[in-house]
Amino acid sequence: MDTSRLLRTTGTVIAAAGLLLSGCTPGGPGEPVAAASSPPESATASGRPSPDAAALRPYYEQKLTWRDCGVPGFQCSTMKAPLDYANPGSGQDVDIAVSRRTATGPGKRLGSLVVNPGGPGGSGIGYLQAYAGIGYPAAVRAQYDMVSFDPRGVERSSPVECLSGPAMDKYTQVDQTPDDPAERAELVAAFKEFAAACQKNSGRVLPHVSTVDAARDMDLLRALLGDKKLNYVGASYGTFLGATYADLFPDRVGRLVLDGAMDPTRPALELNRDQTEGFNTAFTAFAKDCAKQPDCPLGKGDPDAVEARLKEFFRKVDAQPVPSGDPDRPLGEALATTGVIAALYDESAWPQLREALTSAMNGDGSSLLSLADSYYEREADGKYANLMFANAAVNCIDQPAAFSGPEAVDTALPSFEKASPVFGAGLAWAALNCTYWPVKATGQARALTAKGAAPIVVVGTTRDPATPYKWAKALAGQLESGTLLTYDGDGHTAYGRGSACIDTAINRYLLEGKAPQDGKKC
């Protein structure tokens, strides 16, 4: 992994959130509603100055013009948002891309349901059009307009741009577990080059892509959709975005489901170490399963033995990368590790991981490289989506860097390697990227309480690799109206992943407004 705290959903993962039924308006999307369209008079939970309501009013009074997206059943639009919410009258704006699929009926329309797939850096529009807008339960799609947006800095919304495709290819191959001073210097140089490219190509937007900025954009979207309350789906990092919104605008919260939750009180160092432990938990589950399978390339025996064999494989490809079918990108340790991590997000990918490891151990790294490419959102033509660029930009502005320099990584390495003997060193060094970021962080770790908000459902999966279960427990405890729903299982997030118990509880909440009992387990 090349960026810190990359909190992802996979293409098959779904999470959901919504709003209080009584808070939704009967008008169609885009129809002005006085109470809904007013800008916030005060929203100081972030610790920043409250935006000037009068200067924000023109943004809240704009109209969304919907057009065909080129994707059957979906419409698209663009809204203007101030580049800098501290100075909304400056005349500098960002364009925020929005998409929707209107409620299919029958039944009473309950408003708009905004979805976010995580990241940070994941395209909400891509997620909506490829999955949520067609794959959410039919009853939910019948009564809600399904809506999403690309947050500022992401893909269609003033995207952060950094390295070219060939430069990104080189960046993803840099050794993440440096063994000597030369490799350490190479890794530091790669992080500096990445940061400098982001500044050169996207310096205008870099200071203004924080989660607080995105949450304010989301309130603007809520108003333009004609909803008095925000209906919101947040998965993974999207839970932090949703909780941030709730803390800023508690009176505008209806039903929120935050699935695969983050703990906003954890500073960057602890978040990275916790996530390292989460991937270790997921790998242990994979190892136990693998040892039972006839095609396990890591052999039989207990998980420790399976773990040792994977470490040995990483050491071998570090010393001598194996061919991958791309002469410029042989499978070395960095790409091999990323490929394994990619498959740990969803237990349905475990058979694919076994096959990929088997091939790589026999001298063909193409399948494991494909897993890494899917993680980085690299296309066959060598172009990358801007996921990794936006991911770094948001993470590095939301909190101060985890480390002050390589020496600080050295100090923390034992704790990371204790958290995960397989992934610890690589994930520790990956967290060094924000150290060289050209923009000073504007956020910090702190509790999000959303005092006065309607009930918010926080979902945690016990063996989630990317957002450890303890984070969900922590967020549910912080939110004044938080209620914890637990899935005892594997994979990242829980809603729509096969648990009838989870899905029934969330669907009932979205459609009837009845939150599950706090502490319910599935």
Side-chain angles (χ1 to χ4, degrees), residues 83 91-94 158 199 201-208:
L83 174 68
Q92 294 194 65
D93 297 334
V94 290
S158 303
Q199 176 65 19
N201 295 319
S202 304
R204 174 178 176 266
V205 298
L206 284 189
H208 307 292

Side-chain angles (χ1 to χ4, degrees), residues 9-23:
T9 64
T10 67
T12 59
V13 172
I14 167 179
L19 279 206
L20 193 64
L21 296 178
S22 61

Side-chain angles (χ1 to χ4, degrees), residues 5 83-84 170 213 226 280 283 285 309 313 337 436 466 472 506:
R5 303 197 309 283
L83 174 68
D84 183 359
K170 293 179 180 178
D213 290 318
N280 192 67
F283 176 74
R309 294 184 187 102
F313 166 71
T337 302
Y436 309 104
I506 293 176

Side-chain angles (χ1 to χ4, degrees), residues 171-258:
Y171 180 73
T172 60
Q173 294 180 68
V174 175
D175 192 344
Q176 296 273 321
T177 57
D179 301 313
D180 55 46
E183 289 187 347
R184 289 163 64 101
E186 182 183 11
L187 182 58
V188 168
F191 286 141
K192 289 180 177 179
E193 179 184 357
F194 184 96
C198 296
Q199 176 65 19
K200 177 182 178 181
N201 295 319
S202 304
R204 174 178 176 266
V205 298
L206 284 189
H208 307 292
V209 294
S210 73
T211 299
V212 169
D213 290 318
R216 294 193 187 282
D217 291 343
M218 201 153 59
D219 190 62
L220 178 58
L221 176 60
R222 169 206 58 78
L224 301 184
L225 292 170
D227 292 328
K228 291 183 179 179
K229 305 281 185 177
L230 175 75
N231 304 292
Y232 177 74
V233 171
S236 195
Y237 159 80
T239 66
F240 181 47
L241 177 58
T244 299
Y245 179 92
D247 202 53
L248 287 168
F249 310 105
D251 59 324
R252 296 178 177 183
V253 167
R255 296 170 216 154
L256 268 67
V257 177
L258 307 179

Side-chain angles (χ1 to χ4, degrees), residues 131-459:
Y131 182 72
I134 56 177
Y136 265 44
V140 174
R141 291 183 286 113
Q143 295 184 257
Y144 284 102
D145 290 347
M146 299 296 296
V147 178
S148 194
F149 68 109
D150 283 357
R152 54 175 62 204
V154 175
E155 202 156 317
R156 302 166 181 84
S157 298
S158 303
V160 173
E161 298 293 348
C162 300
L163 299 175
S164 66
M168 191 66 180
D169 280 347
K170 293 179 180 178
Y171 180 73
T172 60
Q173 294 180 68
V174 175
D175 192 344
Q176 296 273 321
T177 57
D179 301 313
D180 55 46
E183 289 187 347
R184 289 163 64 101
E186 182 183 11
L187 182 58
V188 168
F191 286 141
K192 289 180 177 179
E193 179 184 357
F194 184 96
C198 296
Q199 176 65 19
K200 177 182 178 181
N201 295 319
S202 304
R204 174 178 176 266
V205 298
L206 284 189
H208 307 292
V209 294
S210 73
T211 299
V212 169
D213 290 318
R216 294 193 187 282
D217 291 343
M218 201 153 59
D219 190 62
L220 178 58
L221 176 60
R222 169 206 58 78
L224 301 184
L225 292 170
D227 292 328
K228 291 183 179 179
K229 305 281 185 177
L230 175 75
N231 304 292
Y232 177 74
V233 171
S236 195
Y237 159 80
T239 66
F240 181 47
L241 177 58
T244 299
Y245 179 92
D247 202 53
L248 287 168
F249 310 105
D251 59 324
R252 296 178 177 183
V253 167
R255 296 170 216 154
L256 268 67
V257 177
L258 307 179
D259 186 10
M262 287 183 65
D263 178 0
T265 67
R266 307 289 279 178
L269 173 60
E270 294 178 13
L271 283 172
N272 281 280
R273 191 162 47 207
D274 287 351
Q275 193 173 43
T276 300
E277 185 177 353
F279 278 109
N280 192 67
T281 298
F283 176 74
T284 299
F286 165 76
K288 289 179 179 178
D289 179 77
C290 187
K292 300 174 184 176
Q293 306 300 328
D295 63 341
C296 181
L298 300 174
K300 305 302 180 182
D302 60 34
D304 289 341
V306 174
E307 176 184 280
R309 294 184 187 102
L310 182 61
K311 289 180 67 176
E312 178 60 25
F313 166 71
F314 286 156
R315 281 193 291 268
K316 287 182 178 180
V317 295
D318 185 29
Q320 183 62 55
V322 299
S324 68
D326 184 337
D328 296 322
R329 297 192 306 142
L331 186 77
E333 183 183 15
L335 288 171
T337 302
T338 301
V340 172
I341 283 176
L344 293 179
Y345 276 84
D346 189 340
E347 69 273 23
S348 68
W350 289 357
Q352 183 182 359
L353 178 56
R354 293 197 304 271
E355 293 176 7
L357 283 170
T358 298
S359 295
M361 289 176 174
N362 289 324
D364 178 5
S366 59
S367 294
L368 206 50
L369 179 63
S370 293
L371 282 169
D373 285 350
S374 70
Y375 188 89
Y376 287 127
E377 294 195 356
R378 182 188 189 274
E379 301 297 334
D381 62 3
K383 294 180 180 179
Y384 287 77
N386 91 312
L387 169 68
M388 288 293 167
F389 311 145
N391 180 266
V394 175
N395 280 334
C396 295
I397 201 171
D398 272 352
Q399 280 206 25
F403 297 119
S404 58
E407 295 77 13
V409 180
D410 288 332
T411 300
L413 270 176
S415 64
F416 274 77
E417 290 177 326
K418 180 180 180 181
S420 175
V422 176
F423 306 114
L427 294 180
W429 282 105
L432 188 63
N433 71 324
C434 287
T435 303
Y436 309 104
W437 200 245
V439 176
K440 184 178 180 180
T442 56
Q444 60 184 350
R446 63 182 186 85
L448 299 176
T449 60
K451 185 177 181 180
I456 298 171
V457 175
V458 178
V459 187

